[in-house]
Amino acid sequence: QVQLEESGGGLVQAGGSLRLSCAASGSIFSVYSMGWYRQVPGKQRELVADIKSGGRTSYADSVKGRFTISRDNAKNTVYLQMNSLKPEDTAVYYCTTTCRMTRWGPNDDYWGQGTQVTVSS
């Protein structure tokens, strides 16, 4: 099994910064991608940013220029540096990874439990 442990959420004023971390552990053979989604009540979960094993990144348009995703491959850990936070960034942020547990096994998706980010105006 694969476990994802998230940290770094909290309450911050608009314009402030937070850094989210997520460490993947368990029987991991290789990680294809790691990323962050977010969800607010009544809305679908949406991609915030992800990073592939080769370092290629993707961002939601709403966070480009403000958020930066990075990854420590040796530690199977992904980070999300969030700057210039806005009240509309308030959400539960979920870490996700696509990885395989054996050399020839399939890539599967795993999710963390989520961490609350609240931005006050």
Side-chain angles (χ1 to χ4, degrees):
Q1 265 294 2
V2 175
Q3 296 82 39
L4 295 173
E5 183 172 353
E6 301 145 329
S7 62
L11 172 65
V12 65
Q13 288 188 331
S17 298
L18 283 174
R19 188 188 193 217
L20 304 183
S21 300
C22 173
S25 62
S27 301
I28 299 172
F29 176 78
S30 66
V31 175
Y32 171 64
S33 69
M34 298 190 78
W36 294 92
Y37 281 68
R38 67 187 180 187
Q39 188 171 25
V40 297
K43 292 191 176 181
Q44 284 191 327
R45 195 172 293 187
E46 64 173 4
L47 173 69
V48 177
D50 69 10
I51 182 166
K52 302 297 193 289
S53 56
R56 182 163 55 95
T57 58
S58 299
Y59 293 93
D61 287 343
S62 60
V63 307
K64 284 180 181 176
R66 300 188 297 122
F67 292 9
T68 302
I69 191 169
S70 60
R71 179 173 157 181
D72 184 334
N73 289 332
K75 296 181 179 179
N76 286 335
T77 298
V78 64
Y79 306 96
L80 185 68
Q81 179 65 43
M82 305 185 293
N83 298 329
S84 302
L85 282 160
K86 304 175 181 180
E88 50 263 45
D89 294 318
T90 296
V92 177
Y93 284 69
Y94 295 91
C95 175
T96 182
T97 183
T98 300
C99 63
R100 62 178 65 188
M101 299 203 308
T102 62
R103 182 185 179 102
W104 306 113
N107 277 314
D108 287 320
D109 298 329
Y110 298 89
W111 293 85
Q113 300 220 343
T115 184
Q116 177 70 45
V117 171
T118 303
V119 184
S120 64
S121 57

